[in-house]
Amino acid sequence: MKTFKLKMLEIIDENAETYKPIQIPLIDGLIINREDMENRWLIEAFTDKKHHDFFRNLKEKDKEIIVHVKITTDLNEKATCITTIIGLNEIGDKINVLFLGNMVDQRTPKLEKVLNELIMNGNKGKSLLSKFKESLN
């Protein structure tokens, strides 16, 4: 496993017409490449408790969530992950949110355009990931 500092977290709001990113201010965070057979990543975001209801509602929907993250430094490009919330813990006046999912390679603008088109066509979750992988071939 490899562990990195989480520098930025955005949740993609699937209810907004343009899939608007919602920036979550971080107190701290980690992102771990589990290096497992499913190539999953664990994202741990430590933030203010005022975001608890937002994350609780996302978790209760039990849907996959698209997030953008920056790893190690703010200068790095955003990486896109398709995740689910697997944990939400109150720690005093803060919360710890745990996401588990797969990172989507988006090193070129073309990939972001393809991903956006698939989302706008109604693809979500595993279907989105599958269609995205198909479009790369």
Side-chain angles (χ1 to χ4, degrees):
M1 289 196 291
K2 294 178 186 162
T3 303
F4 305 92
K5 177 84 172 155
L6 181 65
K7 296 298 287 185
M8 188 268 315
L9 175 68
E10 289 179 342
I11 307 296
I12 305 304
D13 183 1
E14 69 178 27
N15 296 319
E17 217 171 277
T18 59
Y19 285 83
K20 176 183 171 188
I22 299 168
Q23 183 92 22
I24 304 298
L26 296 172
I27 296 167
D28 204 357
L30 295 172
I31 182 164
I32 301 168
N33 181 348
R34 294 171 46 121
E35 297 180 343
D36 60 12
M37 297 299 288
E38 296 167 24
N39 196 31
R40 293 179 298 173
W41 290 70
L42 179 70
I43 302 168
E44 178 183 15
F46 189 59
T47 189
D48 194 272
K49 192 174 181 177
K50 69 182 179 183
H51 303 290
H52 184 270
D53 289 344
F54 172 74
F55 285 112
R56 187 189 74 234
N57 289 337
L58 284 177
K59 187 175 188 316
E60 287 175 355
K61 288 180 183 176
D62 197 32
K63 289 184 175 180
E64 290 185 316
I65 303 159
I66 298 173
V67 300
H68 291 163
V69 296
K70 283 192 179 183
I71 301 170
T72 308
T73 175
D74 291 322
L75 300 175
N76 282 337
E77 295 287 324
K78 292 179 188 177
T80 301
C81 300
I82 300 175
T83 67
T84 55
I85 296 176
I86 61 167
L88 179 59
N89 307 295
E90 292 183 27
I91 304 171
D93 61 346
K94 310 287 187 271
I95 59 170
N96 176 341
V97 187
L98 298 171
F99 300 85
L100 185 64
N102 295 92
M103 193 166 297
V104 178
D105 186 351
Q106 80 169 42
R107 287 178 235 173
T108 65
K110 178 185 177 223
L111 294 177
E112 186 171 330
K113 181 181 178 204
V114 168
L115 183 59
N116 232 354
E117 287 173 5
L118 290 170
I119 292 169
M120 296 309 279
N121 287 333
N123 294 288
K124 295 181 183 179
K126 291 185 188 216
S127 168
L128 173 62
L129 186 57
S130 175
K131 293 276 188 190
F132 185 76
K133 286 180 180 179
E134 284 174 23
S135 72
L136 297 178
N137 295 329

